[in-house]
Amino acid sequence: MSWTKKILRVNLTNGEVAEEPLNMDWAAQYIGQRGLGTRYLVEETDPTCDALGADNKLIFATGPLTGTAVSTGGRYSVICKSPLTGAVACSNSGGFFGAELKSAGWDMIIFEGKAGSPVRLHIENEKAEIIPADDLWGKTVWETDKLIHAAVQDPQVRVAAVGRSAEAGCLYSAIINDLHRAAGRSGVGTVMASKNLKAVSVRGTRGVGNIKDPVRFMKSVAEQKQVLAENAVTGQGLPALGTQVLMNVINEVGALPTHNMRDVQFEGANNISGEAMLEARESDGKPNLTTNAACFGCTIACGRISTIDKGHFTVENKPEYWGNSGGLEYEAAWALGAATGVDDLDTLTYANFVCNEDGMDPISFGATVGAAMDLFDLGAITTEDTGGMDLSFGSSEALAWCVEKVAAGEGFGKEIGMGSKKLCEKYGHPGLSMSVKGQEFPAYDPRGIQGMGLTYATSNRGACHLRSYTVASEILGIPEKTDPLETEGKAGLVKAFQDATAAVDSMGLCVFTTFAWSLDNMAPQMDAACDGEWTVERLVEAGERVWNLERDYNMKAGLTGADDNLPARLLKEAAKTGPAEGKVCGLDEMLPEYYSLRGWTPDGQVTRETRQKFSLPA
Amino acid sequence: MNITVKFFSSLMEYLPRSVEGNAMAVQVDPGTSPRQILARYRVPDEEVRTVMRNGVFLPEEDRDQPLEEGDVLTVWPSIQGG
Ligand code: SF4
């Protein structure tokens, strides 16, 4: 088993809360979490609906391994239609919330409709209650967390909430759980706020039982934890420098998108790197990084806990930011830093804190600030538009100002909150938005890492690195080294990564395990825990089914093959320095082969044969 | 000839004390190989995972090839992403 086989359905329009059985036929096909949540979304919503209307649904889904003893098994995903992209949104988060929800006895919560005034949902095992939350509206995530804990008087309650940015309609607002873990991308927080749902709190004491073969399961879990511990990446690298070790690596290989992707290398990279986070500050002799941290049940512990220098201009006289909080991951450090040209670690850490505090995706936020700075440099945005703020590349003041404005949904922050696509369209330079399907790129330049170009172009939720992390192969040599500057063979590589990752995201595990684990390491754990027989082949097939289901949803939502594209800057303006100097991204060399490997038409439509092969819904 | 050597992450401890940051300019005999450089700074083999020459990944079997004037040699222990 390992599914609790129960769904909580919450109708926000009429205030009804109901329990219903999980569709186990679908679970057998789509596993859980990302796959199964999307299956419900497809069944229950019209893909052409208004993402911020009452017809969109918001699904919190755990995986069958969430809350079990498998390492990193604490994850949940939030699935809905995205207001940023108009495509399917599925954002995955760690921390403790997902495991708590499962432990309360729920595989999934489906929110439908829209509340007439602000509410929150509180769950204690099988009891679920909609509670008025007018007092929480207008509060940050951190304040909301505190107030809910004060109200329920139970420190073990886990809270997922949206901040002020989401209330103000920022299109890339996140849902933050456990204060600094985020279902970060594609505006899932914006959808939550559009339903007048401020927070979900949960306490579960039932534990996750129901393991199919407990003895075999515990043996397999112990063996596979050993594999993580002995691996150089998951055993030493991630705990020590976290993902931030990548800053210097990606800069060296000339794939660090800088100044809104004008450049592929950043002079200040070392100043904002994982190494720099360990250096003692001059002012107080303390390093930025305090310690590492783990999500529920995780034996890797890649999380960063950091502090800001109390005398730094961003936090002067603001003691609420003086303590330990969630520090910079590589993606955030890149977006807040290299994309904007800001190389001051404390400013970046401050911006990251505020992104957690008021629930914004730091990737889309930082990249949109980068685009605004590009527009400012061209004179398309002026101080008249900003109300006086100089948005020059490299300005720490501008970055700190922008993050505060977007968090509060004030003034020019409203414009930055629209994302780079709408911003660049409004100011007359649509080509300057470094996005796919309206979602901003993460931290790898596809001119220097070609496979990532195809990854971004074809990602079902808009530009994203976590849909197929070919960096593992092209740069890190996992599972085997491929040449980052070559396009040949990348179509197959991207497809293989996409399918495997969809399976990992559907089981309830963290994608970082894949530096040490392949599906060969996961299948035995899944098989010992869950009903049915789970082989590697079955997981791959399920992953591919999930991918096609998401694609199908997007096509029905009105996207086409033409949306599998990259900005002209990456296809026409060659990299100026580094190993990729003179190179553009060869997307057109990879895309046709990719479509054919997928069994899609030359213009990217899912064929009838492919639909039949995976028994996709009509 | 003149080359630049950079050690990152936990390998920084093998940089001479006088070096600030991660990079040092060094003068070596023409024909010196990456492996010889690593030996010169006493970096244990088992701690070396990724070596790049001018940003291009250098597989284990190519680490005896001679470096050239102006090359940048970069060395990491285990690296990972996200
Ligand atoms: S590897 Fe990092 S993100 Fe993944 S579960 Fe562990 S601590 Fe959380």
Side-chain angles (χ1 to χ4, degrees):
Chain A
M1 289 213 259
S2 239
W3 293 273
T4 67
K5 304 192 178 178
K6 270 175 23 186
I7 291 181
L8 180 63
R9 189 175 290 278
V10 179
N11 186 318
L12 293 164
T13 307
N14 64 18
E16 270 174 31
V17 175
E19 175 188 324
E20 64 183 66
L22 185 73
N23 185 325
M24 289 309 292
D25 290 339
W26 290 354
Q29 289 186 307
Y30 295 92
I31 309 177
Q33 201 164 327
R34 173 173 160 192
L36 195 53
T38 308
R39 183 66 188 83
Y40 274 90
L41 185 77
V42 165
E43 187 73 12
E44 299 189 6
T45 61
D46 176 353
T48 62
C49 73
D50 172 5
L52 298 177
D55 293 341
N56 195 6
K57 296 199 184 184
L58 182 75
I59 302 176
F60 283 40
T62 64
L65 296 182
T66 303
T68 69
V70 177
S71 189
T72 79
R75 322 258 338 161
Y76 76 105
S77 290
V78 180
I79 297 123
C80 59
K81 178 174 177 166
S82 161
L84 185 67
T85 64
V88 66
C90 173
S91 294
N92 184 310
S93 181
F96 295 83
F97 180 88
E100 197 75 25
L101 178 62
K102 186 83 177 282
S103 189
W106 304 102
D107 287 314
M108 216 182 268
I109 315 174
I110 301 178
F111 292 100
E112 48 195 35
K114 175 179 175 168
S117 58
V119 295
R120 65 182 175 92
L121 181 75
H122 182 64
I123 301 172
E124 257 178 70
N125 294 330
E126 45 290 312
K127 272 200 325 240
E129 192 187 355
I130 298 175
I131 300 169
D134 303 275
D135 55 327
L136 299 178
W137 208 253
K139 299 274 191 277
T140 69
V141 170
W142 293 355
E143 289 164 339
T144 302
D145 189 288
K146 210 165 155 187
L147 289 165
I148 291 177
H149 275 109
V152 296
Q153 288 292 311
D154 180 351
Q156 278 169 299
V157 161
R158 301 291 173 181
V159 177
V162 293
R164 294 176 300 162
S165 73
E167 294 173 14
C170 165
L171 289 178
Y172 45 79
S173 285
I175 298 171
I176 305 286
N177 57 279
D178 303 295
L179 299 176
H180 44 74
R181 285 285 169 177
R185 301 221 71 194
S186 313
V188 294
T190 320
V191 172
M192 180 157 155
S194 78
K195 298 191 171 304
N196 271 328
L197 178 63
K198 180 69 181 177
V200 182
S201 48
V202 58
R203 181 74 178 105
T205 56
R206 301 274 182 258
V208 178
N210 281 344
I211 299 293
K212 185 175 80 182
D213 183 342
V215 176
R216 180 154 62 93
F217 177 70
M218 288 319 289
K219 188 163 168 278
S220 180
V221 164
E223 278 167 16
Q224 298 307 337
K225 281 187 177 163
Q226 197 60 29
V227 172
L228 293 179
E230 283 166 7
N231 179 278
V233 174
T234 51
Q236 297 140 33
L238 278 172
L241 287 193
T243 55
Q244 261 281 63
V245 72
L246 272 183
M247 187 61 72
N248 281 311
V249 178
I250 301 300
N251 194 45
E252 287 295 319
V253 303
L256 189 70
T258 302
H259 303 126
N260 199 36
M261 297 186 127
R262 289 182 181 192
D263 304 303
V264 296
Q265 289 181 309
F266 180 38
E267 262 182 16
N270 199 32
N271 298 340
I272 60 170
S273 67
E275 284 87 351
M277 285 169 73
L278 293 176
E279 267 169 41
R281 290 188 284 252
E282 255 173 47
S283 54
D284 60 1
K286 291 191 187 138
N288 174 284
L289 183 74
T290 315
T291 182
N292 63 331
C295 301
F296 173 88
C298 175
T299 50
I300 303 174
C302 78
R304 306 288 90 187
I305 301 294
S306 288
T307 60
I308 303 172
D309 181 349
K310 289 175 190 162
H312 192 261
F313 82 92
T314 51
V315 298
E316 250 184 328
N317 307 319
K318 293 192 233 169
E320 64 270 33
Y321 299 106
W322 290 355
N324 282 314
S325 194
L328 294 165
E329 313 281 341
Y330 170 61
E331 296 301 332
W334 160 78
L336 303 168
T340 63
V342 176
D343 70 351
D344 178 61
L345 200 52
D346 274 333
T347 307
L348 269 48
T349 307
Y350 173 70
N352 196 56
F353 282 9
V354 175
C355 281
N356 287 333
E357 183 185 23
D358 264 308
M360 286 105 77
D361 167 15
I363 299 180
S364 281
F365 165 73
T368 303
V369 174
M373 288 176 164
D374 209 348
L375 291 164
F376 189 84
D377 194 59
L378 295 174
I381 288 179
T382 65
T383 47
E384 241 168 69
D385 300 304
T386 63
M389 179 49 74
D390 176 326
L391 291 186
S392 292
F393 276 122
S395 164
S396 295
E397 288 74 20
L399 180 68
W401 179 83
C402 284
V403 83
E404 289 168 4
K405 293 286 171 212
V406 178
E410 288 169 4
F412 194 71
K414 283 241 176 225
E415 313 240 350
I416 302 275
M418 292 293 111
S420 66
K421 182 162 181 268
K422 292 208 162 78
L423 183 81
C424 293
E425 278 167 2
K426 174 166 177 185
Y427 288 97
H429 294 268
L432 289 185
S433 165
M434 296 300 118
S435 62
V436 173
K437 301 178 177 73
Q439 175 156 285
E440 288 72 18
F441 291 104
Y444 310 90
D445 196 302
R447 291 169 289 199
I449 308 176
Q450 295 283 331
M452 291 310 281
L454 185 61
T455 290
Y456 295 153
T458 60
S459 161
N460 286 332
R461 66 166 181 175
C464 169
H465 59 297
L466 293 172
R467 287 298 176 262
S468 71
Y469 193 65
T470 60
V471 175
S473 164
E474 297 178 89
I475 301 298
L476 312 176
I478 302 169
E480 56 183 18
K481 186 80 177 74
T482 53
D483 183 347
L485 300 178
E486 256 314 318
T487 53
E488 211 187 309
K490 293 298 161 65
L493 189 71
V494 166
K495 176 179 179 292
F497 268 89
Q498 286 174 337
D499 294 345
T501 307
V504 175
D505 288 343
S506 299
M507 284 187 277
L509 302 181
C510 176
V511 74
F512 289 162
T513 56
T514 58
F515 293 112
W517 286 355
S518 66
L519 292 177
D520 290 320
N521 304 80
M522 299 179 197
Q525 303 183 83
M526 177 76 192
D527 185 62
C530 299
D531 285 355
E533 240 184 273
W534 291 92
T535 59
V536 172
E537 293 70 36
R538 181 166 172 199
L539 288 173
V540 172
E541 192 198 346
E544 189 168 2
R545 178 177 295 115
V546 172
W547 192 267
N548 277 285
L549 181 76
E550 292 171 340
R551 175 76 176 187
D552 205 40
Y553 178 92
N554 285 352
M555 294 292 124
K556 288 175 181 158
L559 279 79
T560 67
D563 294 300
D564 299 334
N565 208 349
L566 297 174
R569 179 165 275 179
L570 303 178
L571 301 172
K572 299 207 174 101
E573 291 175 29
K576 293 178 205 146
T577 59
E581 189 179 334
K583 281 231 159 221
V584 295
C585 179
L587 179 63
D588 55 352
E589 296 159 22
M590 302 181 278
L591 195 60
E593 186 190 351
Y594 171 83
Y595 281 171
S596 120
L597 286 173
R598 278 263 168 240
W600 297 347
T601 63
D603 60 356
Q605 295 288 334
V606 183
T607 60
R608 193 202 302 221
E609 294 74 52
T610 305
R611 306 175 61 85
Q612 274 169 356
K613 180 172 164 200
F614 294 108
S615 334
L616 295 188
Chain B
M1 63 180 182
N2 297 299
I3 61 167
T4 303
V5 176
K6 298 184 189 177
F7 291 165
F8 283 110
S9 189
S10 58
L11 298 185
M12 284 165 69
E13 63 177 278
Y14 297 105
L15 288 166
R17 268 172 199 284
S18 54
V19 172
E20 270 195 37
N22 302 73
M24 57 183 165
V26 289
Q27 253 197 340
V28 294
D29 295 334
T32 302
S33 73
R35 208 180 300 279
Q36 286 168 327
I37 301 276
L38 290 170
R40 173 167 164 175
Y41 293 98
R42 298 176 203 280
V43 186
D45 259 1
E46 61 276 12
E47 289 186 33
V48 174
R49 191 171 147 111
T50 301
V51 178
M52 289 182 198
R53 178 180 174 189
N54 303 324
V56 178
F57 184 80
L58 205 59
E60 174 80 42
E61 60 271 23
D62 292 347
R63 293 181 192 162
D64 290 314
Q65 288 175 6
L67 291 163
E68 283 169 26
E69 173 74 27
D71 275 356
V72 180
L73 183 73
T74 322
V75 192
W76 278 274
S78 86
I79 52 180
Q80 64 284 319

